[in-house]
């Protein structure tokens, strides 16, 4: 019989003897890590559920002040809207768009229906909209998409032509590989058909006013709805674009405007500035509106950095006057009209509240 003897040195050099030990140690470590992770998840879930069940209180107000950058007057006003009402914890629930919209919508109609002076109502609405705007801006900056596959069917987008003009289109449907869009039309309702296989630029803006740019390729044209459709590829590298402070909405109202005489009431940077509209008025069309500015279309080519006074209809009741500064002028394709992009310089609190009400669809 042949006996094989292994010396202690040879046994130590044989790594196979340690495999079982290493494997057991690795499994034990993995189990330990998994237990730690599961406990952490459970703690977070429990903490989130507890946060959601709480009622808004003064501690909540201090947290909201830090999260959304509220002023003292905004924090105190928000607390008056919640005190004694058992409002669900705003620190948790304002993160969700639907809750936020319902909350501010309800408070808007409560404030508007008060038996109080118009001045008091306008002051309260101004605070309400300021708080909502800050909440919306924080929430939209936390939300990010990278692919057009995340855009819901039925959404509105804009086709940006080489001339920088924007034409609204709708996403009819999409698959994993392509999107079916409506064909864009110009202001005379003529179809605009980018060349097949060419790359085109699309602009998408979320409900939270976060805008994204992306390039897609035109695959083909088809006609399954009777109106014709544009079929394009998806874009998987959307880029953030123009993080606007105020939510904008499209408009289609006639307006008028006039030049402005600017006078200073004294020397230095602290001098009072007066903006006086001149008598002569010119026609235009209001095509976009926000609480911070607007865009109008006009046959007149007015250079940027000119002050302008506008008479616009925000609702069907009356005209409102606002003074602004033209920050950009874009020609329309045929060069017969121009789009003036305007930042508001002087607007009354009542008019700004009315614009906010229109933007958030409170006016219908």
């Amino acid at each position: 019989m042949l006996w094989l003897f292994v010396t202690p040195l040879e046994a130590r050099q044989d790594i196979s003897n340690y495999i079982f030990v290493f494997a057991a140690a690795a499994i034990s470590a993995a189990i330990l890590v998994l237990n730690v992770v599961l406990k952490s998840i459970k703690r977070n879930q429990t903490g989130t559920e507890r946060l959601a069940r709480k009622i808004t209180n003064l501690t909540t107000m201090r947290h909201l002040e830090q999260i959304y950058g509220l002023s003292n007057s905004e924090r105190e006003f928000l607390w008056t809207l919640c005190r004694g009402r058992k409002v669900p914890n705003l620190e948790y629930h304002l993160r969700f768009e639907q809750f936020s919209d319902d909350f501010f919508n309800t408070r808007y109609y409560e404030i508007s229906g008060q038996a109080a002076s118009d001045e008091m109502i306008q002051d309260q609405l101004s605070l309400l909209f300021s708080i909502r705007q800050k909440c919306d801006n924080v929430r939209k900056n936390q939300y990010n998409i990278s692919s057009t596959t995340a855009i819901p069917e039925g959404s509105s987008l804009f086709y940006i032509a080489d001339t920088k003009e924007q034409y609204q289109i709708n996403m009819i449907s999409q698959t994993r590989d392509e999107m079916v869009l409506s064909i864009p039309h110009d202001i005379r309702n003529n179809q605009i058909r980018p060349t097949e296989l060419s790359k085109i630029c699309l602009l998408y803006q979320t409900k939270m006013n976060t805008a994204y740019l992306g390039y897609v390729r035109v695959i083909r044209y088809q006609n399954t709805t009777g109106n014709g459709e544009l079929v394009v590829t998806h874009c998987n590298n959307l880029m953030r674009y123009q993080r606007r402070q105020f939510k904008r909405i499209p408009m289609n109202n006639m307006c008028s405007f006039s030049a402005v005489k600017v006078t200073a009431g004294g020397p230095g940077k602290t001098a009072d500035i007066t903006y006086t509209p001149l008598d002569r008025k010119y026609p235009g069309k209001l095509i976009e509106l926000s609480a911070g500015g607007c865009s109008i279309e006009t046959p007149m080519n007015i250079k940027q950095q000119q002050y302008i006074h506008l008479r616009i209809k925000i609702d069907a009741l009356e005209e409102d006057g606002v003074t602004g500064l033209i920050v950009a002028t874009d020609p329309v394709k045929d060069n017969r009209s121009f789009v003036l992009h305007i930042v508001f310089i002087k607007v009354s609190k009542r008019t700004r509240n009315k614009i906010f009400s229109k933007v958030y669809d409170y006016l219908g």
Side-chain angles (χ1 to χ4, degrees):
M1 178 180 294
L2 179 63
W3 294 90
L4 296 177
F5 295 96
V6 180
T7 67
L9 178 60
E10 290 173 327
R12 287 194 298 270
Q13 291 175 339
D14 187 358
I15 296 179
S16 62
N17 293 330
Y18 295 96
I19 291 179
F20 178 78
V21 177
F22 290 152
I27 292 173
S28 298
I31 293 174
L32 180 62
V33 171
L34 181 60
N35 284 333
V36 172
V37 172
L38 291 176
K39 288 180 180 179
S40 176
I41 293 174
K42 187 175 181 179
R43 282 197 302 270
N44 289 338
Q45 289 176 338
T46 303
T48 300
E49 292 170 358
R50 188 163 53 247
L51 191 66
R53 289 195 301 266
K54 283 184 175 181
I55 300 300
T56 297
N57 54 30
L58 282 171
T59 301
T60 308
M61 289 297 118
R62 288 193 290 270
H63 292 168
L64 293 175
E65 181 180 16
Q66 296 175 351
I67 294 170
Y68 299 110
L70 303 181
S71 66
N72 289 337
S73 58
E74 290 168 343
R75 183 201 64 218
E76 292 171 2
F77 177 70
L78 186 58
W79 176 233
T80 64
L81 298 179
C82 300
R83 185 170 46 212
R85 293 172 177 254
K86 293 186 177 180
V87 175
N89 187 11
L90 293 183
E91 182 182 354
Y92 173 82
H93 290 284
L94 281 180
R95 299 181 300 170
F96 303 100
E97 183 178 345
Q98 188 60 56
F99 178 92
S100 178
D101 189 54
D102 292 342
F103 175 81
F104 288 108
N105 191 325
T106 301
R107 300 304 179 268
Y108 169 84
Y109 286 107
E110 288 178 355
I111 294 170
S112 300
Q114 291 181 107
S117 67
D118 182 67
E119 182 180 1
M120 178 180 292
I121 290 175
Q122 298 306 323
D123 286 342
Q124 292 182 1
L125 288 178
S126 181
L127 284 168
L128 183 79
F129 286 129
S130 178
I131 295 168
R132 170 157 192 178
Q133 178 197 341
K134 290 182 177 181
C135 293
D136 287 353
N137 285 341
V138 169
R139 189 165 56 249
K140 79 177 182 181
N141 290 335
Q142 294 172 343
Y143 176 75
N144 191 44
I145 62 174
S146 60
S147 173
T148 51
T149 57
I151 300 176
E153 292 184 356
S155 297
S156 294
L157 300 91
F158 289 90
Y159 160 58
I160 302 181
D162 294 338
T163 58
K164 305 303 181 184
E165 294 173 84
Q166 298 184 13
Y167 302 96
Q168 185 172 350
I169 57 178
N170 296 314
M171 182 192 289
I172 300 171
S173 63
Q174 64 165 300
T175 66
R176 184 180 63 181
D177 301 316
E178 61 187 30
M179 293 186 291
V180 180
L181 309 174
S182 61
I183 297 176
H185 291 72
D186 62 19
I187 58 175
R188 293 176 176 80
N189 205 34
N190 298 315
Q191 285 191 350
I192 301 172
R193 289 178 167 254
T195 308
E196 291 186 8
L197 302 183
S198 65
K199 277 192 172 183
I200 61 173
C201 183
L202 297 181
L203 171 67
Y204 170 64
Q205 185 165 294
T206 69
K207 291 182 179 180
M208 297 312 307
N209 202 36
T210 306
Y212 296 91
L213 273 181
Y215 289 87
V216 299
R217 190 174 295 279
V218 177
I219 300 176
R220 65 182 182 278
Y221 289 91
Q222 62 184 34
N223 188 10
T224 60
T225 63
N227 298 316
E229 300 96 38
L230 171 64
V231 183
V232 300
T233 60
H234 279 293
C235 172
N236 294 316
N237 56 347
L238 291 174
M239 301 172 291
R240 281 280 189 99
Y241 175 73
Q242 283 187 329
R243 298 170 67 176
R244 290 170 172 165
Q245 183 181 7
F246 298 97
K247 181 180 180 181
R248 293 178 175 240
I249 57 170
M251 299 287 287
N252 188 26
N253 295 348
M254 298 307 297
C255 66
S256 63
F257 63 91
S258 57
V260 171
K261 179 182 178 181
V262 182
T263 55
K269 296 181 179 180
T270 60
D272 292 331
I273 305 298
T274 302
Y275 304 94
T276 306
L278 302 184
D279 292 334
R280 186 171 181 179
K281 293 181 173 61
Y282 304 92
K285 182 169 69 172
L286 179 66
I287 60 175
E288 194 176 46
L289 179 66
S290 80
C294 68
S295 297
I296 67 170
E297 186 175 333
T298 173
M300 300 184 63
N301 182 10
I302 305 177
K303 295 181 179 180
Q304 62 187 45
Q305 300 305 310
Q306 303 292 313
Y307 289 97
I308 186 173
H309 182 78
L310 298 162
R311 300 294 300 179
I312 60 177
K313 269 198 171 183
I314 303 167
D315 54 27
L317 301 178
E318 59 184 347
E319 280 189 340
D320 287 272
V322 296
T323 299
L325 177 68
I326 301 173
V327 294
T329 300
D330 294 328
V332 178
K333 188 175 182 180
D334 58 9
N335 285 327
R336 294 179 181 176
S337 60
F338 302 85
V339 175
L340 310 181
H341 303 283
I342 299 161
V343 171
F344 293 149
I345 300 298
K346 184 179 180 182
V347 54
S348 71
K349 185 177 294 184
R350 188 172 187 275
T351 298
R352 186 182 291 272
N353 287 337
K354 189 185 294 187
I355 294 173
F356 269 124
S357 303
K358 181 66 175 178
V359 167
Y360 289 124
D361 202 25
Y362 297 156
L363 295 181

